[in-house]
Amino acid sequence: QVQLVESGGRLVQAGGSLRLSCAASGRTFNGYTMGWFRQAPGKEREFVAEIKWSSGSTDYADSVKARFTISRDNAKNTVDLQMNSLEVEDTGVYYCAAALPGATLATPVTVGQGTQVTVFS
């Protein structure tokens, strides 16, 4: 059974940093596009960041560019999200996701259970 398990979410003060991790189990995600979504209370789920396996190229939502950095370790089947200069608006449940090779997270095939990030002022 394929699983994506997120960790690292917690309560953090605005301006602080947090690192989320996602561990994939059940199969290898080599070749897959990996990334993160988030969903704030009362809002739609939104794209945060993704990273391609083959090229290592990344893409970010405009709202997190220059503050968040996505990285992956293909050997360990993990993908991390380093979040700096956190804002209250970054509060939400963060979901790890995977898309087929060459695809983007617009069409994820697997999504984790999520980890809660709460930023307070």
Side-chain angles (χ1 to χ4, degrees):
Q1 184 178 353
V2 175
Q3 268 195 316
L4 296 176
V5 179
E6 304 93 337
S7 62
R10 60 176 176 86
L11 192 65
V12 61
Q13 191 167 21
S17 297
L18 204 56
R19 190 176 185 89
L20 304 183
S21 292
C22 171
S25 63
R27 64 160 297 156
T28 176
F29 279 89
N30 284 348
Y32 280 60
T33 298
M34 301 287 293
W36 296 86
F37 291 100
R38 69 185 180 188
Q39 187 166 19
K43 293 189 177 180
E44 300 267 328
R45 188 176 70 179
E46 64 173 349
F47 167 80
V48 175
E50 69 179 19
I51 183 167
K52 298 282 198 309
W53 178 82
S54 56
S55 63
S57 64
T58 57
D59 191 24
Y60 296 91
D62 288 342
S63 59
V64 307
K65 275 180 184 175
R67 299 190 299 120
F68 290 11
T69 302
I70 189 170
S71 61
R72 67 189 293 169
D73 186 327
N74 292 333
K76 295 182 179 179
N77 248 6
T78 59
V79 59
D80 290 352
L81 185 68
Q82 177 66 42
M83 305 187 294
N84 299 327
S85 302
L86 282 162
E87 302 169 354
V88 173
E89 292 74 21
D90 294 319
T91 293
V93 179
Y94 283 69
Y95 298 91
C96 179
L100 292 174
T104 69
L105 285 192
T107 53
V109 295
T110 304
V111 181
Q113 292 297 308
T115 185
Q116 177 71 46
V117 172
T118 303
V119 185
F120 65 95
S121 60

